[in-house]
Amino acid sequence: MSRQQIAEPLNIYLNDHLTGAFGGAALARRMAGSHADPRRAADLRRLAREIAQDRDDLVRIMNRLGVPVRHYRTWLGVAGERIGRLKPNGTLVRRSPLSDLIELEAMRTGVEGKSALWRALRSVAEDDPRLDTAAVERLADRARAQADLLNGWHRETSAEVLAGHPGR
């Protein structure tokens, strides 16, 4: 298989993840800015910063690998997040509690996808000296920690929203 045949799937794969990273960073920033609980809002701001750092790390990895960033796709990620705001959640004029649950699920899905990305790159790093295996491992560890945090919030929010158990 030629280098070009290998490069094309990698280019597409990394740009797909970059598109999602731009959308995920926008969603995390919006969630942080709209959350009523100050403790959760602070945690969401930290998570939003980490997700933006992960996105920037992905861009640096793409540059190291010679993968061109498809800039029009980064706008698709942000546009997708904005379109996601239009979903009907049972209210029209105010924010629905269901929005918190749905947005958490979107964030969890994004973080799980990012975790899969880092695992895939870790397997590539074993044979590609342009990739720093330890750095990719650190990114994978951070994604696992983010997933753990979001999973805990998801349990709490599910109980609050779906079963009417506030603060549980």
Side-chain angles (χ1 to χ4, degrees):
M1 194 177 271
S2 75
R3 203 169 208 13
Q4 177 60 33
Q5 289 171 311
I6 293 170
E8 189 59 25
L10 183 64
N11 292 357
I12 294 167
Y13 181 71
L14 294 179
N15 273 287
D16 283 351
H17 276 279
L18 187 60
T19 299
F22 269 88
L27 175 59
R29 275 192 313 274
R30 186 170 57 75
M31 288 174 67
S34 68
H35 210 284
D37 177 353
R39 179 189 57 84
R40 179 79 53 90
D43 287 341
L44 281 165
R45 282 191 297 277
R46 180 183 51 79
L47 181 63
R49 282 190 303 273
E50 286 180 5
I51 290 170
Q53 288 172 340
D54 293 342
R55 179 202 58 215
D56 295 345
D57 287 336
L58 177 56
V59 169
R60 280 189 283 282
I61 288 169
M62 291 170 71
N63 288 335
R64 254 184 261 130
L65 293 172
V67 172
V69 171
R70 304 292 183 216
H71 293 284
Y72 71 91
R73 301 210 39 209
T74 62
W75 289 105
L76 289 175
V78 174
E81 184 278 328
R82 291 194 177 140
I83 290 168
R85 297 178 192 187
L86 301 176
K87 65 197 167 301
N89 289 332
T91 67
L92 292 175
V93 294
R94 60 182 165 69
R95 184 171 169 79
S96 166
L98 189 55
S99 294
D100 289 341
L101 184 59
I102 292 170
E103 289 171 351
L104 271 173
E105 289 177 356
M107 289 297 300
R108 286 176 66 217
T109 301
V111 168
E112 292 299 330
K114 176 174 57 177
S115 185
L117 162 70
W118 301 137
R119 286 191 307 271
L121 284 179
R122 188 173 46 223
S123 68
V124 171
E126 294 169 4
D127 296 322
D128 193 328
R130 297 174 296 174
L131 290 171
D132 179 349
T133 306
V136 174
E137 188 61 42
R138 282 190 299 277
L139 291 166
D141 289 344
R142 183 161 61 189
R144 278 190 294 277
Q146 292 168 353
D148 289 345
L149 178 69
L150 290 168
N151 286 333
W153 288 348
H154 186 264
R155 277 189 302 279
E156 293 171 13
T157 303
S158 296
E160 292 168 5
V161 173
L162 301 178
H165 299 293
R168 186 171 155 190

